[in-house]
Amino acid sequence: MNNTLSLQELFNDRIFRVPEYQRGYAWERQQIEEFLDDLALLDASRQHYTGTVVLHQPADPVRRMDDEGQNFIETDVVDGQQRLTTIVLLLNELSKELGKFESGKNLALGVRKKYVVATDEYGLSLHKLTLNDDTDDFFQSSVLPETPGVGGPPVISAQRLLDARNLIGEYLKRAGGDGADSEEWLRDLHRKVTNQLHFNLYEVERAGDVGVIFEVMNDRGKQLTNLEKVKNYLLYCASTLDVSHQARDELADTINSVWGDVLRQMMAADLGSAANENQLLSSDWFIRYDPRRQNWEGSKSIRRRFDLREKSRHVRLLRELHDYVRGLRDSCVAYCDALNPDREGAFSGFTGNDETKGEVALWNRKLLRIRLTATFLPLLMAARQRWPNDLHKYLEIVRLCEVFAFRTYRIAGYYVNYRQPAMYRLAHSVMRGLRFEDTVERLNEMFSATYAHQMFDEFTNPEHLQSRYDWTGLRYFLYEYEQHLAEKLGGSPKVRWTQVSSGNTVEHILPQSIADRPYWQERFEPAVHEKYRHDLGNLTLTADNPSLGNKAFPDKKGQEDFETPCYANSLLLEERELTRWDDWRPESIDERRGALLEWAKERWGFDFGGSNDDDYAGDPEENEGED
């Protein structure tokens, strides 16, 4: 059923609930400002079509009564929840502003009771809109009230709710002006929102029918993400399959349940963007169905794979759809753990001690720090699902991925999609049953073929070493050295990666400029200074670059009891290590560079026994993006 209703009519006997399979609040400044601009331009004599609201009333709906005896039925918001949530936020803030005027208090109370929160027959709060579990408590306790609760936003969608409230509140104060004119402006805005905004209302009787609605609503003007398109098509399948009503309903319930799990996990892992959703879908597709990137077309690939036109296949298709949906849930767990290994409950599905789980998380973090996860992500997801109870197999694979990522893309300088097609095929093979031993062997073969006999020689070429300041792998290289020094002492770095991963955190021991600095000018002639200033041996991480500047080396070195920052009292062990040099000359830089390179050879395994690219029989696709 569909008809056109004003907001006032829409809220007459309904309370709304955003079901768990829907995404959290996603509107940002641009969408909110556009909505407010539309309201400002709306003529007082005209109605404004605001969009479509799709509702689904469960078979056994919750019924509530307010303290004045009015009955309400709880209904699920299938589509339109972003707009409805924003309108509730707007009316809540409008109520607060109206309540500041003595003559506006009654209207303020009426607005809040009808559209935000009333009191039920037992004296409890009766919220007119309930959001997903991950944001609703914050919505009710910290966004809607005058005085917020003490807890901060638990997920990004909760932060967006808070930002939207603040933006709307600022707009009302700014646009409304002062005095009596302000109250009248607020009353006009209330009339616009509650009476002039009109919605096309669709009410669906069965959960599976939701997909049908989306299939026929091509003009609703809302851009869907691929994840939403896939869900809607799957629900369309659930309502259309030539199987029993019970089987269709069970499939629809499974889809909605899984989508709720997926959205909650993605949001809790701070991976709720459309880009992350697309990456999850594509990575899952590569490992389960087709590893060829050129064949992936988002939701179109899903539609082709689960084609409804052959009715003779519908019984089989029912099983395949269940398998796909449940598999996507497993892939989501693996995806979130790989991209946010510090999230609460990460790798909890693995059996094993906490120390080993911590090591798994650490190596995942290392791979993320290199910023090259896309090539290896499908393999990590496949390994997680192929050996769900074997922590050590996953650990070995993620270690190999880190080593290969750094030495292939950061040391050798290959483009980021080099070997990516082969990696996707390997991930697909793992999901199809490839043995662990064969997986490791193929990984080693694949990456030892990357000009192994030249890689380290190229990296240590003096011309390269003398221009390492702009090297994309520099901070990671130095932080791994810091990790090495800390582990030798039985601990971990005292400075977090986030503190040194960006900004002015690389220190030139020999300063970049030595003008008017006699100490440095005596030791480094202009040509020698130019040669050594960006040398790997002359660079270190620092937590206090401005304090060190271009001081003389003895002043930079300092002593542990100095009140000002110096190498000797630094939290970074690699800066403290510099104190073993009495002076800083070209020979000092050569010595330190040599020590760093010896450590790097062992850390990233540069001794490959002289193999070369001819050892690996790959197809032409393997060389996509090769430098």
Side-chain angles (χ1 to χ4, degrees), residues 71 175 224 346 379 385 419 446 451 506 511 584 609 611:
N71 290 295
L224 299 178
L379 179 60
Q385 295 173 78
R419 290 283 190 255
M446 193 185 309
Y451 291 136
V506 175
W584 198 252
S611 61

Side-chain angles (χ1 to χ4, degrees), residues 9-55:
E9 293 167 328
L10 190 65
F11 273 73
N12 266 346
D13 55 2
R14 299 179 183 91
I15 53 177
F16 302 97
R17 182 178 73 92
V18 177
E20 289 306 302
Y21 60 81
Q22 297 289 12
R23 68 175 55 255
Y25 187 69
W27 275 22
E28 297 180 338
R29 175 177 287 270
Q30 179 180 344
Q31 290 93 342
I32 296 166
E33 289 181 342
E34 288 173 354
F35 174 65
L36 295 174
D37 288 343
D38 288 344
L39 284 174
L41 295 172
L42 181 59
D43 187 274
S45 62
R46 296 183 59 189
Q47 295 179 354
H48 178 67
Y49 169 68
T50 309
T52 299
V53 174
V54 181
L55 303 178

Side-chain angles (χ1 to χ4, degrees), residues 418-486:
Y418 178 72
R419 290 283 190 255
Q420 195 175 82
M423 283 294 295
Y424 288 4
R425 288 197 298 276
L426 177 58
H428 184 68
S429 297
V430 168
M431 281 298 291
R432 292 172 67 86
L434 187 68
R435 294 189 318 137
F436 174 72
E437 294 78 8
D438 296 330
T439 302
V440 172
E441 183 179 353
R442 285 178 59 178
L443 265 174
N444 278 296
E445 288 175 352
M446 193 185 309
F447 284 93
S448 66
T450 312
Y451 291 136
H453 62 301
Q454 298 178 11
M455 194 188 297
F456 193 69
D457 289 341
E458 285 294 316
F459 181 74
T460 57
N461 184 304
E463 292 183 4
H464 294 170
L465 289 171
Q466 289 158 13
S467 59
R468 282 300 171 195
Y469 183 55
D470 294 324
W471 174 40
T472 55
L474 178 62
R475 283 182 174 81
Y476 183 74
F477 180 94
L478 293 175
Y479 194 74
E480 283 301 295
Y481 185 63
E482 181 70 18
Q483 181 91 33
H484 161 71
L485 295 176

Side-chain angles (χ1 to χ4, degrees), residues 117-129:
V117 57
T119 303
D120 73 6
E121 57 186 314
Y122 305 109
L124 303 175
S125 294
L126 177 61
H127 281 86
K128 298 305 180 72
L129 174 66

